[in-house]
Structure formats: structure tokens, C-alpha cells
Amino acid sequence: MAKSDPTTPRERYRTQVRAEVMERAWEQIATAGASALSLNAIAKHMGMSGPALYRYFANRDELITELVREAYRDLADTLHAASETGADLAGLARTLRTWALADPQRYLLLYGTPVPGYQAPEDTTAISQEIAVTLIDACAAALPPATPASPLATHLADHRTWAAGHPAPPEALALFLSLWTRLHGVLSLELAGHFTGMQFDAAVLFESELATLLG
């Protein structure tokens, strides 16, 4: 059997519909959160029946997976591009914050409260690992010579399976984990609105945490 031509009108229409479904899904997530995502509501908004929409996405989880892939891919490409143009670790951290603030729902889908009942497939983990590699590389480059081993670095010398074979020294892995957890903590609180009414600049807090980590 001959392979279907992805450039046929049918395939172009399918690609167009899937793109519109994802666009409507992002709008719905921005309004009600990912846990409230509904294919039937999207279908109604697009003037389609529910069963018709299921020809493009088999279920809610398949749609969420595509959104997660899209978000991870965009963040991975954004950080990689910044690194290629000379951004150091501080520059990459600021790039991460700029990316998150530009589209909070995209960030929160990746790093916010998990969607009940949803389990991301393995390939999304592979994309997220690209993000980690870019940041670990920058952490290794940022380490001063003869950095003394912290208790965390000592622990990571024998607990580094999560780094997927990255050759960085344990001190760089320790810096990455500290950066990842502390900066995501600030970003998650900021984007979830927990600083609202506290009358301070979250950007200054972010820079303070960054300076402490790199100091």
C-alpha cells in the first residue's frame, strides 16, 4: 500500500484542525485550568460535534500530551537558542522567567499542579531532559575552580541516575538542583498569584535568589 502524502488537502485540513483544537485548549486552560479541559466544550466552540472532534484527538489525555510536548519543545528550543548566543547561567535563568511570564498557563501545565488522572508519556520526559542538559552545561561552566564539595554534591556522586549520563561533576549537578528548585519555587508562587497584595517586586526576589545561588 502506498504511503499517504502528508501534503494532500486531507492531511493539511487535519493539521489545521488539530492546531485550532490546541489553540482552543490553551484558551480553555487559561480560563479554567488544565483539569477542566473538555474536548466536548472545544468541539462546541468550533461548531463541531464531540464525536467529530475525537477523530483528531482520541481523548483528553492525548490532547494534553500534545500541549505538554509543544510547551516543553518551545522551552527547550528557547533555552538552547539563548545558550547558543552566549547566555550564561544567569542569562538562562532570566530567559526561563521571561518565557514563563509570557504565557503563564504554558508554564503551569509543565510545572504547576499535576492534572488529576493524567500521566505524561516517556517522550515528554526526553524533551524535558534537553532542558536539564542545557542548564547543567551552564552550571558546569559557572563553577569556580576547585569548588569544595557540599553535602548535596557528595550525595549526588552516587545518586545521579536522574542526570541521564551527563558527565558534569557532582558540584554542577548540585548547583543545577538548587537552581531548579529555588527558581521554580519563586516562579510558581508568582504565577499562581501568591505574591498579589504583598507590594514587592517579584523580579527583585528572583534576582536575589539567583545572586545567592551564584554567589
Side-chain angles (χ1 to χ4, degrees):
M1 180 182 295
K3 294 177 67 175
S4 61
D5 181 358
T7 63
T8 63
R10 181 187 294 274
E11 287 299 319
R12 288 197 297 270
Y13 179 72
R14 179 178 177 80
T15 299
Q16 178 183 340
V17 173
R18 282 175 62 90
E20 184 176 353
V21 171
M22 291 175 67
E23 182 180 346
R24 300 302 178 194
W26 283 122
E27 293 172 357
Q28 194 178 101
I29 289 173
T31 301
S35 60
L37 191 63
S38 166
L39 266 68
N40 287 328
I42 293 172
K44 183 177 180 180
H45 188 84
M46 293 176 61
M48 301 171 64
S49 68
L53 189 61
Y54 284 100
R55 293 202 296 266
Y56 300 95
F57 290 95
N59 49 48
R60 182 206 67 160
D61 284 5
E62 182 181 328
L63 175 55
I64 292 175
T65 294
E66 286 305 306
L67 298 174
V68 168
R69 285 190 185 118
E70 180 181 79
Y72 268 137
R73 181 77 272 149
D74 190 62
L75 178 55
D77 290 348
T78 298
L79 291 175
H80 180 72
S83 177
E84 288 293 294
T85 56
D88 59 6
L89 184 56
L92 291 176
R94 295 182 186 112
T95 297
L96 170 64
R97 183 171 187 270
T98 298
W99 184 89
L101 293 178
D103 195 339
Q105 294 307 321
R106 192 172 47 173
Y107 173 89
L108 291 172
L109 179 64
L110 299 182
Y111 302 113
T113 303
V115 179
Y118 173 73
Q119 180 66 46
E122 274 305 311
D123 68 306
T124 60
T125 303
I127 304 172
S128 69
Q129 190 66 31
E130 293 180 37
I131 297 168
V133 166
T134 299
L135 292 172
I136 292 172
D137 286 344
C139 286
L143 282 178
T147 300
S150 65
L152 176 57
T154 300
H155 173 74
L156 292 175
D158 297 318
H159 297 82
R160 53 185 300 153
T161 305
W162 58 271
H166 196 292
E171 293 77 15
L173 299 183
L175 177 57
F176 165 75
L177 287 180
S178 296
L179 179 94
W180 196 239
T181 53
R182 288 173 66 169
L183 297 190
H184 274 303
V186 174
L187 277 173
S188 296
L189 288 170
E190 178 182 6
L191 295 177
H194 292 294
F195 297 152
T196 302
M198 296 180 70
Q199 298 183 341
F200 71 88
D201 189 343
V204 176
L205 174 60
F206 186 89
E207 289 294 328
S208 175
E209 288 294 290
L210 186 56
T212 300
L213 284 163
L214 299 182

